[in-house]
Amino acid sequence: MRHIAIVGSGPAGYYTAEAALKQWKDDVRVDIFDSSPVPFGLIRTGVAPDHQSIKSVARRYETTALSDNVHFVGNVMVGRDISIDELRDLYDAVVLATGAPNDRKLGLPGEDLPNVFGSAAFVGWYNGHPQFAEIHPDFSHDTAVIVGNGNVALDVARILAKSGEEFEGSDIVAHALSALEGAHIRRIVILGRRGPHQVTMTPKELGELARLARACPRVDPADLPPLAQDAALDAGMRKTMGHLRSFAMAGGSANDNADDGADDGADDGADEGATIVCPDRDIVLEFDFFAAPRAILGTDRVEGVEVERTHLVDGKAVGTGETYHIPAGIVIACIGYQTSRIPDVPYDEQGGRFANVEGRIKPGLYCVGWARRGPTGTIGTNRPDGFAIVERIDADLGPTGGTGKPGRPGFEALAETRGIDFVKFTEWQKIDEAEVANARHGAPREKFVEVDRMIAKAHPSVQDS
Ligand code: NAP
C-alpha cells in the first residue's frame, strides 16, 4: 500500500490524486490537505465569478474526491499545524500542490499606498477569499489603472467594467457586487510595458471585452505593428491580434457586432477582427502599450501613476525617458504570483516557487502545478503535470511500492493529540449545501467569506456544544 499526502486541493492537487488512482488503483490511499476548510483552491477563489463554465471542472474533482481511497483534510495548515518532516514521516510521498497565492511586488515607490492592490488580493476579494474579504477597495474615483497584459488583467478589467445585471448567474460575493454597483469608474487603463505582440492574453478572454454592456475597449492604432508581422505569430496570438486590431477601429456601435447578445462569455474567437466601436458607452477600457509604471503617486492614498514610455530592444521593454502621469484612484497590479514558503522546504527566489528538479524537491517530497513551474498555463495544464509527478513517484518508490509508513491513521492519531479540527469532504458538502441554499436569485451560491462560519456548518455539533 502507498500512502500519498497532497498539500493543496486546487487543480494541481486533484489532478495528482486522479493520476494516483489511475496508476495504483486500490493500492494507494491519498490524503489531500488544505489550509482552507473548503476545497478546490483557484477554482473557487481565482477563476472569475462570471466564468462559471471554467468553474464546472470542479465536478470532475468531486468524482476523485468521492473515491473511497481519497480523503480531503481541510482546515490544516502544513508548516504550522503539522510540519513537512512530520508529513514525510507519515506518508510515502508528499506532493506540494500549493499553487502561487501571493502577489509579486511591483517594486515601485508608493506601492503600499491605500487602494493599491495586487491581483491575488483583488481577485480574492471579489471571489470571497476569507483573507481578502476586508480589503474594502474604494471605487469613488473615475479612473482605475491595471498593470499587466495577461489574462488576470483582463479578468480584473472585465469585473470592474461590468454592470450589476451582467453578473447574473455568477457567484461574485455580495460585498463585491454591492461595491461594484456603486462604483464611479469611467476609465480603466490597462498598462502593458511591452507591445501588442507581447501580450499573454488569450483570444477567448480578450474577445469578451467586445461584448460588455456599458464598456468599450480602445487601442491606439499607432501601437499596432504592421499587419504583415502578425503572420509570424501562432494561431492563438493571431486571434488575439485580431481582437486588438478591432479595438483600434472606432465609430458606430459595439452592439452591432455583439453576436446575438445572449453570449455567456464562452467566446471562441470567431468574431476576431470585427469592428468594435462604441461612442456611447459609459466606460472606456484603454489599452496603453509601451507603458511601464515607474511610481505610484499620492500622499494618503493613491492619486495616480507615473508612467514611462518604452520601446522594445531585443524583446525587452526599455524606457525612452518620456514620462507622463495618469490620475487614478485605484491601482491593481496583475503581474504574476509567488508560491508561499513552507518551513524546511527549499525555495527558488527567482522563480517564486519551490526549488525542484522535475518536481522532485528532496527524498519523499515533490511539487506540482504552479508550486513547481511558476504561475503559467491554464487549469488544464495541471493535468499532465499531475500525471507526470505520479510517474516519478512510482519510479522512486519502486515496484514494491509503499515503505510501511502509517498514512492516514497516523495523521488522525497526531491530529487527535494536537487537537487539529480538520474538515472532511462530507463536511465540506454541508458547507456547499448551505452556500447553494443562500444563493441570491439566479446565482449558483453565496459563498461564506469567514472561516468561522464555514467551520460552524462543517462541525455544527462542536459549535453547539
Ligand atoms: P501573465 O500572463 O504572466 O501576465 C503578467 C503580466 O504582467 C505580463 O504582461 C507582464 O509583462 C506583466 N508584468 C510583470 N511584471 C511587471 C512589472 N514589474 N511591471 C509591469 N508589468 C509587469 O500572468 P497572469 O495574468 O497573472 O496569469 C497567470 C496565469 O493564469 C496565466 O497562465 C494565465 O493565462 C492564467 N489565467 C487564465 C485565465 C483564463 O484562462 N480564463 C484567467 C486568468 C489567468 P511582460 O510580459 O513584459 O513580463
Side-chain angles (χ1 to χ4, degrees):
M1 178 63 66
R2 294 151 182 88
H3 294 284
I4 311 291
I6 295 172
V7 184
S9 68
Y14 270 106
Y15 284 129
T16 302
E18 183 188 326
L21 290 181
K22 265 220 165 90
Q23 178 82 21
W24 297 306
K25 310 217 161 41
D26 239 6
D27 205 17
V28 67
R29 299 289 178 272
V30 181
D31 288 347
I32 304 183
F33 292 80
D34 204 300
S35 57
S36 169
V38 299
F40 307 139
L42 202 70
I43 299 292
R44 180 178 167 103
T45 56
V47 172
D50 56 345
H51 278 175
Q52 288 296 313
S53 59
I54 301 182
K55 284 185 191 256
S56 66
V57 74
R59 277 188 224 120
R60 181 191 185 113
Y61 307 151
E62 221 163 72
T63 313
T64 302
L66 291 169
S67 154
D68 289 343
N69 297 339
V70 174
H71 289 96
F72 175 66
V73 188
N75 201 33
V76 177
M77 171 80 94
V78 171
R80 182 194 66 193
D81 300 326
I82 180 167
S83 73
I84 275 291
D85 286 341
E86 284 170 330
L87 271 189
R88 288 170 71 214
D89 286 344
L90 292 170
Y91 293 86
D92 298 310
V94 177
V95 184
L96 303 178
T98 48
N102 303 318
D103 282 309
R104 283 189 52 230
K105 300 287 276 180
L106 281 164
L108 297 180
E111 175 164 24
D112 296 325
L113 282 168
N115 235 30
V116 179
F117 302 105
S119 51
F122 192 74
V123 171
W125 170 76
Y126 62 62
N127 262 330
H129 191 307
Q131 194 185 339
F132 303 113
E134 298 294 331
I135 64 169
H136 299 298
D138 176 348
F139 300 119
S140 57
H141 194 280
D142 66 2
T143 301
V145 170
I146 295 172
V147 184
N149 271 180
N151 279 333
V152 172
L154 283 181
D155 278 348
V156 169
R158 192 181 68 253
I159 296 293
L160 286 179
K162 276 194 167 181
S163 63
E165 296 81 60
E166 288 175 284
F167 286 110
E168 208 182 298
S170 81
D171 66 350
I172 189 165
V173 289
H175 65 232
L177 182 57
S178 132
L180 288 164
E181 281 179 330
H184 290 89
I185 295 172
R186 293 291 172 265
R187 181 182 182 216
I188 300 168
V189 183
I190 305 173
L191 291 183
R193 62 181 171 184
R194 297 192 291 156
H197 273 191
Q198 286 74 38
V199 302
T200 49
M201 299 163 172
T202 45
K204 182 175 154 195
E205 282 63 32
L206 191 58
E208 286 178 68
L209 295 192
R211 294 189 302 275
L212 294 170
R214 59 174 190 177
C216 180
R218 293 265 164 84
V219 167
D220 181 347
D223 286 339
L224 294 170
L227 186 61
Q229 290 182 13
D230 289 4
L233 302 171
D234 67 27
M237 264 308 289
R238 280 203 302 276
K239 281 188 175 180
T240 291
M241 283 307 299
H243 287 303
L244 291 175
R245 290 186 186 284
S246 74
F247 299 167
M249 301 183 220
S253 162
N255 278 339
D256 296 345
N257 47 44
D259 297 336
D260 59 8
D263 200 293
D264 63 358
D267 174 45
D268 57 2
D271 61 348
E272 72 180 288
T275 305
I276 306 298
V277 279
C278 34
D280 302 329
R281 297 303 165 86
D282 291 340
I283 299 177
V284 177
L285 275 162
E286 223 175 284
F287 285 83
D288 192 356
F289 291 111
F290 305 105
R294 293 297 183 224
I296 310 296
L297 309 170
T299 40
D300 299 331
R301 50 164 295 155
V302 56
E303 290 166 20
V305 182
E306 182 182 302
V307 182
E308 183 176 8
R309 206 38 90 210
T310 65
H311 65 133
L312 289 184
V313 178
D314 296 333
K316 289 206 169 76
V318 174
T320 60
E322 178 196 343
T323 59
Y324 55 99
H325 290 181
I326 303 175
I330 184 166
V331 173
I332 302 154
C334 306
I335 60 164
Y337 302 114
Q338 292 178 328
T339 295
S340 301
R341 291 159 196 276
I342 298 179
D344 303 321
V345 181
Y347 195 80
D348 166 2
E349 298 283 343
Q350 186 86 15
R353 60 191 173 203
F354 296 121
N356 73 92
V357 178
E358 293 189 331
R360 293 183 176 97
I361 300 176
K362 51 178 151 173
L365 185 62
Y366 303 82
C367 57
V368 71
W370 282 10
R372 176 181 82 80
R373 62 177 200 276
T376 57
T378 62
I379 285 162
T381 316
N382 293 299
R383 192 163 186 271
D385 229 28
F387 278 71
I389 204 68
V390 162
E391 272 180 25
R392 273 169 217 137
I393 295 170
D394 190 52
D396 292 349
L397 289 180
T400 49
T403 52
K405 298 205 174 166
R408 186 177 176 83
F411 168 72
E412 283 181 351
L414 187 138
E416 172 118 28
T417 53
R418 215 165 269 182
I420 299 174
D421 189 21
F422 65 91
V423 172
K424 301 175 183 157
F425 198 79
T426 48
E427 293 167 336
W428 141 248
Q429 288 176 313
K430 291 186 207 164
I431 302 174
D432 185 32
E433 266 171 36
E435 288 189 341
V436 172
N438 287 344
R440 64 184 171 272
H441 180 69
R445 68 178 62 243
E446 184 62 52
K447 289 177 196 161
F448 291 114
V449 298
E450 289 131 2
V451 170
D452 288 353
R453 293 189 65 203
M454 297 175 187
I455 302 285
K457 283 292 163 198
H459 297 158
S461 54
V462 175
Q463 303 293 317
D464 294 346
S465 60

